[in-house]
Amino acid sequence: MDYKYIIWDWNGTLLNDVSASLASVNDMLLKRSMPVLDIDAYRDCIGVPIEKFYRRVFDLDKENYSDILAEYNEGYLAHLKDCSLTSGSEELLMRFKESGCRQVIVSSSNNDQLVSNVKKYGVYSYFDKILGSADYYAQSKIERAVSYLENSEPGKALVIGDLEHDGEMASKLGADCFLITSGHEKRERLLNSGAKIFDTMSEIEAYLFGQ
């Protein structure tokens, strides 16, 4: 296992928060007397930048996008109390730490909220850097990952995420990429990325470290 850098996504990867996101979106739809989404419809629509998702689901010609984001985030945080780390995440974080890897979170989430949640779930100490966004607009995170590696010692990198966008980021970095199917995008979309696809963190651990 010759990776020096493990570049993690947070939402839907280390944190199993799909239910909180879907619940918040459906609260907003119900408030507007609009049909709610099931998990398959949600996973079909989600992506980066997140504005594309909201344009598919809401009428942004009639609503203020910033207000939509604020409403979503309020609901997301309320539902987040029912969420936990993805099964096997902490075990895999520990295996990478024991192997001497430098672990980084690169996320589209607001950085202050991201750091708070990483601490809340008890895994903050595993990471050398947490690189979230300066705002709540969930734009591309590729530039932050590129900057991090450009300012680090040379070494092989692995991206672990749950979105096609994580595969795009890995390509830009010249990194390997593993995508997990339990997150925000469904398997059929992830297969388009060319990344290795796994259903669980335990499968990744077994693939890299053996049983």
Side-chain angles (χ1 to χ4, degrees), residues 31-58:
K31 180 180 174 181
R32 291 160 175 79
S33 300
M34 298 171 68
V36 298
L37 302 177
D38 63 20
I39 186 63
D40 287 336
Y42 170 83
R43 284 176 163 151
D44 268 339
C45 292
I46 203 70
V48 176
I50 199 64
E51 184 177 354
K52 291 182 179 180
F53 169 79
Y54 286 108
R55 288 201 175 278
R56 291 174 184 146
V57 178
F58 299 95

Side-chain angles (χ1 to χ4, degrees), residues 4-10 14 85-86 88-106 115 117-131 148 205:
K4 184 169 186 175
Y5 300 101
I6 310 298
I7 300 176
W8 289 96
D9 174 58
W10 175 248
L14 287 168
L85 293 175
T86 300
S89 291
E90 190 156 9
E91 291 84 351
L92 190 51
L93 287 167
M94 178 62 76
R95 293 297 292 268
F96 284 132
K97 181 178 181 180
E98 290 171 346
S99 298
C101 299
R102 298 181 184 177
Q103 301 189 77
V104 182
I105 293 176
V106 182
V115 169
N117 281 329
V118 173
K119 289 180 177 178
K120 171 186 173 182
Y121 286 95
V123 292
Y124 182 80
S125 63
Y126 288 106
F127 301 104
D128 290 332
K129 290 281 187 179
I130 295 178
L131 303 172
Y148 171 77
E205 183 178 3

Side-chain angles (χ1 to χ4, degrees), residues 113-155:
Q113 183 171 300
L114 175 62
V115 169
S116 176
N117 281 329
V118 173
K119 289 180 177 178
K120 171 186 173 182
Y121 286 95
V123 292
Y124 182 80
S125 63
Y126 288 106
F127 301 104
D128 290 332
K129 290 281 187 179
I130 295 178
L131 303 172
S133 174
D135 53 42
Y136 290 89
Y137 286 84
Q139 302 288 341
S140 173
K141 57 191 180 182
I142 292 174
E143 292 77 10
R144 274 172 277 132
V146 169
S147 177
Y148 171 77
L149 287 183
E150 285 180 345
N151 289 283
S152 301
E153 298 174 357

Side-chain angles (χ1 to χ4, degrees), residues 9-29:
D9 174 58
W10 175 248
N11 302 96
T13 303
L14 287 168
L15 180 62
N16 184 13
D17 67 346
V18 178
S19 61
S21 294
L22 179 58
S24 181
V25 169
N26 280 338
D27 287 346
M28 296 166 68
L29 291 170

Side-chain angles (χ1 to χ4, degrees), residues 190-209:
L190 300 181
L191 289 171
N192 296 328
S193 69
K196 290 187 181 296
I197 308 300
F198 297 87
D199 293 324
T200 67
M201 291 293 181
S202 296
E203 289 180 6
I204 295 177
E205 183 178 3
Y207 179 83
L208 289 174
F209 298 100

